[in-house]
Amino acid sequence: MNDFFKKLTAKAANVWAGWAMQQKLIFGIVCVIVLGVIIALFRVSSSPVLVSVIDAPIRDEKILENIVLRLNKENVKVNVTSSGIVQVADEATARKMRTILISEDLIPSGIDPWAIFDKERWTITDFERNVNFRRAQERMILEHIKAIDDIENVWLQIAWPPERLFLSDQQPVKASVHITPKHGSDITTSPQNRRKIEGIQKLLQFAIVGLVPDNIVIADNNGNILNDFEGLKAADRLSLIEQEKRIIIKQEAHYRSLVLTALQNIYSSDRVRDLNLKIDMDMSKMSIDTTEAFPIIMKPQTPGLSYDDEIRLESIKVSEETTDLKFRGTGFNPEGPAGVEGHMPPAFKDMDNMYGEFTQVTRTVNNQINRRAIQEERSPSIERVTVSVNIDGIWKMKYDQKGNLVVKPDGSIDREYTDIPADELRRVEGLIRDAVGYNSARGDSVTVHNIRIDRTQEFKAEDLAYFRQKQMQTTIIAFISGLTLLLFGFMLFRMISREMERRRRLAEEERARREQMLRESAMAEAENEGTDVSISYEERSRMELMENAINMAKEHPDDAAQLIRTWLLEE
């Protein structure tokens, strides 16, 4: 194999060496062109293939802009060609976007609905062509319905009636759709998702020629009909009533919080505990067209004057026409040809050939007035507001001349109640009226009362806490007094015991001093007399200890001073 490649390489080198410079240049140019063509083919083949959402071009720029904005809202990258065809990345995205556009009526009216579901098929006979077309049509519709996020599976059945010669004998096309929602989806129960059901119905209506909404049935996996929109009007009405009630409750809560917070900041939350407020609202929607006539201002009021010098006119004369008609002479009533009975009434026959005079004056005056045409659409408005609130008076505890609380015979504290003045209640009523937008023409009502609030349990708890506190204070004072007496007795006992101990020690020291003096005097006398005095063992030990203590004190005076200081502190 290696010999083969070596021979081939040598043969190519010989051929290349035998070529002239012009041939080598032509071969190089050909290689460069072939390489460029291969690179271009690779780039063309690797470029993404876009799929048309709507095969027909869209000429209306406004409709095209709405479609692009709706697709951008779904975070889909959109490409619009120069001819007006909207393209997306893949077929699945295109099917999903078609479903959204159809459900929201964004498909232009001039575009054939079949262009969305067009799929070319080759066949031999017309029967096979129709069967294949219908199968492809059903498959495309299924793919579009499955592209909806809330649907897991779809079953579609279309009843194609045979074609009849006469249109009156032709049976209508019927379609039934059975959908299985995904787990956790509320497409079959939520009124807000009804647009998706309407989108499926419009999808079928656009896709199938001759299919009307009455012949479309959309059901869920439990057999419930989902596109019975006429039957759902009652549910919509109940849902609308619930929404209206929530609006009224929210409005009442707003005003209640506003007024109650203001009153509680003034009188405290204990005296103003609750506020009753009821709002009647007219939730109907009305359109009113009225024409008003108002006076013409010829001269406006002079600024700075204390009186009104404005000149108003109800109307202005634009033109006037007067017509005078006078007649004098005999009255002649022709009766027609001679010999022919006339048709004149008897009353006019009596007036025939009578002399008379007639005068008629006609005056026409054209006046111009100010008119104003008003077209307004009224939103839900408040019909009536009723407010009632109760404010408790002031409760005060009674004190005697010594500043102590007055206690009733039953053991409770005596209290005095003070009513709120009437003028203050009127001011509170005015405050509430301004807060809720009082309007007497609507029949609004604001009532402010001063009714005592039952505070029996509250006063009982306060009395119990007060007497418990008094009892605690008495107990603490008795305890402190006893403890003080005990401490004073202990200190007195300590002082007496110390004094007795001091006196006993002084007596012992005095006795020891006297004994020592007697002993020393006896020893001195014995020494003078030269007699031998016998000393007991205890006396000898005591003398040795005293001699040792004296010697130690001489040797260590600081330690001896510290020892004496300690003895004094202990004493």
Side-chain angles (χ1 to χ4, degrees):
M1 193 69 178
N2 295 330
D3 296 338
F4 174 74
F5 282 112
K6 290 180 180 180
K7 292 179 180 179
L8 184 61
T9 305
K11 185 175 182 181
N14 294 329
V15 171
W16 177 263
W19 282 359
M21 182 60 66
Q22 186 177 3
Q23 292 175 337
K24 294 180 180 179
L25 184 61
I26 293 172
F27 180 76
I29 293 173
V30 170
C31 291
V32 171
I33 293 173
V34 170
L35 183 61
V37 171
I38 293 173
I39 293 174
L41 289 176
F42 272 108
R43 287 189 176 181
V44 172
S45 61
S46 61
S47 60
V49 179
L50 300 178
V51 179
S52 301
V53 179
I54 302 175
D55 292 340
I58 301 174
R59 305 299 182 185
D60 193 341
E61 294 184 359
K62 185 176 181 180
I63 295 176
L64 181 61
E65 182 180 359
N66 293 335
I67 292 175
V68 173
L69 291 176
R70 185 63 185 87
L71 298 183
N72 289 333
K73 189 176 180 181
E74 297 293 330
N75 295 326
V76 176
K77 187 176 181 181
V78 183
N79 180 41
V80 181
T81 63
S82 59
S83 59
I85 296 178
V86 181
Q87 296 177 337
V88 293
D90 50 22
E91 183 64 28
T93 305
R95 288 196 300 267
K96 184 176 181 179
M97 295 304 106
R98 289 181 198 130
T99 304
I100 294 175
L101 295 179
I102 292 175
S103 63
E104 298 183 4
D105 293 332
L106 293 178
I107 299 296
S109 58
I111 294 179
D112 185 7
W114 296 104
I116 300 177
F117 306 100
D118 189 14
K119 204 167 185 177
E120 187 67 25
R121 293 290 185 271
W122 294 97
T123 186
I124 300 174
T125 63
D126 292 340
F127 176 77
E128 292 178 351
R129 183 181 295 108
N130 291 334
V131 170
N132 292 336
F133 173 73
R134 291 173 181 175
R135 289 177 60 188
Q137 188 181 30
E138 292 180 5
R139 186 165 57 252
M140 292 294 291
I141 295 174
L142 283 174
E143 291 177 357
H144 283 291
I145 297 177
K146 287 181 180 179
I148 300 176
D149 294 334
D150 295 325
I151 296 177
E152 182 176 357
N153 196 9
V154 184
W155 177 83
L156 173 65
Q157 179 64 38
I158 302 176
W160 303 95
E163 295 183 0
R164 301 296 182 181
L165 180 60
F166 298 101
L167 186 60
S168 59
D169 298 336
Q170 182 65 42
Q171 296 294 326
V173 182
K174 298 180 180 180
S176 61
V177 181
H178 179 277
I179 63 175
T180 302
K182 290 182 179 179
H183 180 70
S185 174
D186 58 350
I187 188 174
T188 60
T189 58
S190 176
Q192 287 76 13
N193 287 330
R194 191 174 303 163
R195 292 183 61 87
K196 296 181 181 180
I197 304 299
E198 293 177 358
I200 295 175
Q201 180 171 309
K202 290 181 181 180
L203 182 67
L204 294 169
Q205 187 178 353
F206 272 107
I208 303 172
V209 176
L211 183 61
V212 295
D214 294 338
N215 295 327
I216 301 175
V217 176
I218 302 175
D220 60 1
N221 54 341
N222 295 323
N224 299 320
I225 304 301
L226 303 180
N227 65 328
D228 186 13
F229 303 119
E230 294 295 331
L232 294 176
K233 286 184 178 180
D236 293 343
R237 177 59 181 167
L238 293 177
S239 177
L240 181 60
I241 292 174
E242 292 179 357
Q243 293 178 3
E244 292 174 355
K245 288 183 177 179
R246 284 196 294 269
I247 293 174
I248 295 175
I249 292 173
K250 184 177 180 181
Q251 194 77 1
E252 291 177 350
H254 170 69
Y255 281 111
R256 183 181 296 107
S257 175
L258 185 68
V259 177
L260 191 60
T261 302
L263 294 179
Q264 288 180 348
N265 289 335
I266 298 173
Y267 294 102
S268 79
S269 59
D270 183 58
R271 294 178 60 190
V272 185
R273 300 186 178 184
D274 197 7
L275 181 141
N276 300 317
L277 188 143
K278 181 67 172 66
I279 296 178
D280 297 330
M281 295 187 68
D282 183 10
M283 307 301 293
S284 60
K285 188 177 181 180
M286 297 185 296
S287 296
I288 301 175
D289 296 338
T290 57
T291 302
E292 294 182 356
F294 52 95
I296 301 172
I297 299 176
M298 299 297 296
K299 176 182 177 298
Q301 182 181 359
T302 304
L305 288 181
S306 60
Y307 61 90
D308 186 7
D309 63 341
E310 188 178 71
I311 300 177
R312 303 184 183 89
L313 296 178
E314 295 183 355
S315 62
I316 297 178
K317 184 186 296 184
V318 178
S319 62
E320 182 178 0
E321 180 181 358
T322 303
T323 304
D324 296 334
L325 178 62
K326 295 183 178 180
F327 173 76
R328 180 181 295 177
T330 61
F332 176 73
N333 298 321
E335 297 185 357
V340 179
E341 183 69 21
H343 298 285
M344 184 179 297
F348 287 95
K349 283 185 178 182
D350 295 340
M351 300 173 62
D352 191 16
N353 297 323
M354 293 181 64
Y355 177 81
E357 184 176 351
F358 172 74
T359 302
Q360 180 179 1
V361 179
T362 303
R363 178 175 294 174
T364 302
V365 179
N366 294 326
N367 293 331
Q368 181 67 33
I369 62 174
N370 279 347
R371 287 189 178 91
R372 177 170 54 195
I374 302 175
Q375 295 181 352
E376 60 179 345
E377 184 173 322
R378 292 186 178 179
S379 302
S381 59
I382 298 176
E383 287 189 342
R384 189 167 182 261
V385 179
T386 58
V387 184
S388 65
V389 63
N390 177 45
I391 304 175
D392 192 14
I394 301 175
W395 290 91
K396 292 184 178 179
M397 297 180 181
K398 292 184 177 180
Y399 293 88
D400 56 12
Q401 296 179 355
K402 296 181 180 180
N404 298 323
L405 290 175
V406 178
V407 181
K408 296 180 180 178
D410 60 354
S412 61
I413 300 174
D414 191 9
R415 293 176 174 83
E416 181 182 4
Y417 180 79
T418 305
D419 293 326
I420 299 177
D423 57 344
E424 186 174 348
L425 292 178
R426 285 193 295 269
R427 290 195 295 270
V428 172
E429 184 175 341
L431 175 67
I432 298 175
R433 287 184 177 183
D434 293 340
V436 300
Y438 177 84
N439 187 358
S440 59
R442 295 185 310 201
D444 294 352
S445 174
V446 177
T447 306
V448 181
H449 292 290
N450 176 207
I451 303 174
R452 292 187 185 184
I453 298 176
D454 184 13
R455 299 176 179 268
T456 304
Q457 300 298 327
E458 181 181 350
F459 290 162
K460 188 179 296 184
E462 288 181 359
D463 295 347
L464 183 62
Y466 172 76
F467 289 119
R468 186 183 293 113
Q469 184 180 3
K470 292 290 291 183
Q471 184 179 5
M472 182 66 69
Q473 290 177 358
T474 305
T475 305
I476 292 173
I477 292 173
F479 176 76
I480 293 174
S481 301
L483 185 61
T484 303
L485 292 175
L486 181 62
L487 291 175
F488 180 75
F490 178 76
M491 293 174 62
L492 184 61
F493 172 76
R494 184 71 174 172
M495 291 173 62
I496 294 172
S497 61
R498 285 187 176 182
E499 183 64 22
M500 292 177 64
E501 181 68 22
R502 186 180 68 80
R503 290 182 179 182
R504 184 185 61 82
R505 188 172 59 253
L506 291 175
E508 289 180 355
E509 290 178 356
E510 182 64 24
R511 187 174 59 254
R513 186 177 61 77
R514 288 177 181 176
E515 291 178 355
Q516 181 68 22
M517 290 177 62
L518 292 174
R519 191 179 295 109
E520 290 179 355
S521 62
M523 292 179 65
E525 290 178 357
E527 288 180 358
N528 292 331
E529 295 178 357
T531 59
D532 187 10
V533 181
S534 62
I535 301 175
S536 63
Y537 176 77
E538 294 179 357
E539 289 294 334
R540 191 180 293 110
S541 299
R542 185 173 178 275
M543 291 177 65
E544 291 179 358
L545 288 175
M546 290 182 64
E547 186 177 358
N548 292 332
I550 294 171
N551 295 330
M552 185 176 293
K554 292 179 179 180
E555 295 178 358
H556 303 284
D558 294 336
D559 294 340
Q562 183 68 26
L563 179 60
I564 295 170
R565 197 178 296 114
T566 304
W567 286 347
L568 294 176
L569 290 176
E570 288 180 356
E571 294 297 330

